[in-house]
Amino acid sequence: ATKRLQAIAAADHLGSGFTLATNDLEIRGAGELLGENQSGHIQTIGFTLYLEMLEQAVTAIQKGDDPKISAFDKGIEVNLHLSALIPENYIADTNTRLTLYKRLSNCVDKQQLHDLQVEMIDRFGLLPETLKTLIKVTELRQIGEKLGLTKIEAGPKGGRFEFSDNTIVKPITIIQMIQNDPATFRLQNNNQLNFTTIMESAETRFSNVYAILNLLLKSTEQPSSV
């Protein structure tokens, strides 16, 4: 607090606002936006979704519109409670990391994701585990968007899938999954499929989520029967 007061007292000339803001940032610290020790809302929504929300808000403001939260309902949140990021010791330059985060977010299919992965290996070397996780999460997001999901979440003991009003998954498919395995699947709030299973490792977590998503995806490609 004393340092901040000293910075304010020193910024007594016209145009010193930027200097004051910079000093204040140095005093308080900039946090760790791209690191594992994220905090606050960005830890809840994830960095990829944060960038999308920020971009939509800026675009809305530039058009003179009010950046309402409802404008972000079209996105999908994927949270597997795993560290998914581009580490600094892999790519030191912040701008390059931000660019790659954005390019990952803009990948619309598995082929684009594969091409970007090959490019990163060619430019920076073999992918670290946290980046491999980020790519897998991005692939899950692609499948979830195709199915019309709003959220995919998984942890050590289970997870859930939330469906939008425009989902292409047929209700009979979800009913059949619950009837076939009631110990694992449970419907909640008419738009949320919960599942319970032990998934301590990242590999198990991904494999289970992939299996359920592929089951939902397969049901949209052929007629369902009771």
Side-chain angles (χ1 to χ4, degrees):
T2 301
K3 290 181 179 179
R4 295 181 71 181
L5 288 174
Q6 291 173 348
I8 294 173
D12 57 355
H13 57 281
L14 186 64
S16 61
F18 179 77
T19 302
L20 177 60
T22 303
N23 290 339
D24 187 57
L25 187 65
E26 292 177 352
I27 294 169
R28 292 183 296 108
E32 195 175 351
L33 188 64
L34 304 181
E36 298 181 13
N37 298 323
Q38 298 173 4
S39 61
H41 296 299
I42 193 169
Q43 183 184 40
T44 303
I45 67 175
F47 185 73
T48 301
L49 181 58
Y50 170 79
L51 283 183
E52 293 178 3
M53 295 174 65
L54 181 62
E55 180 181 10
Q56 293 180 34
V58 171
T59 302
I61 292 173
Q62 289 175 340
K63 293 181 179 179
D65 299 331
D66 184 16
K68 297 181 182 297
I69 297 298
S70 59
F72 308 125
D73 292 342
K74 298 179 181 179
I76 174 174
E77 177 185 349
V78 180
N79 185 5
L80 268 62
H81 299 278
L82 299 170
S83 182
L85 52 88
I86 305 174
E88 292 185 21
N89 58 7
Y90 183 67
I91 300 177
D93 183 67
T94 302
N95 290 331
T96 303
R97 291 202 310 275
L98 287 173
T99 300
L100 289 174
Y101 275 121
K102 184 59 180 174
R103 291 181 62 186
L104 278 169
S105 177
N106 289 338
C107 289
V108 296
D109 55 42
K110 192 173 183 178
Q111 183 59 49
Q112 290 186 3
L113 197 59
H114 173 73
D115 292 342
L116 181 56
Q117 182 177 353
V118 171
E119 178 186 334
M120 287 189 290
I121 293 174
D122 183 60
R123 292 175 60 186
F124 307 106
L126 296 178
L127 305 180
E129 287 300 320
T130 54
L131 181 50
K132 291 179 181 178
T133 300
L134 179 60
I135 291 174
K136 291 179 181 178
V137 168
T138 304
E139 186 176 351
L140 292 179
R141 177 176 58 81
Q142 291 176 352
I143 301 174
E145 287 178 344
K146 184 176 181 179
L147 290 170
L149 302 182
T150 59
K151 186 171 186 176
I152 299 173
E153 184 175 7
K157 297 181 180 180
R160 57 176 172 162
F161 300 86
E162 292 185 8
F163 301 85
S164 68
D165 295 334
N166 301 319
T167 180
I168 63 174
V169 179
K170 298 178 182 179
I172 187 62
T173 299
I174 301 176
I175 294 174
Q176 289 175 337
M177 292 173 65
I178 297 174
Q179 289 177 340
N180 293 334
D181 192 357
T184 300
F185 298 106
R186 178 170 57 89
L187 184 64
Q188 183 177 348
N189 299 329
N190 296 323
N191 70 333
Q192 181 173 305
L193 179 65
N194 294 350
F195 66 99
T196 304
T197 185
I198 301 300
M199 302 180 295
E200 293 289 349
S201 67
E203 292 77 12
T204 305
R205 209 168 299 177
F206 274 113
S207 63
N208 277 276
V209 173
Y210 272 123
I212 297 173
L213 286 176
N214 287 329
L215 183 62
L216 295 173
L217 190 61
K218 185 178 180 181
S219 71
T220 65
E221 298 172 350
Q222 60 185 17
S224 297
S225 58
V226 180

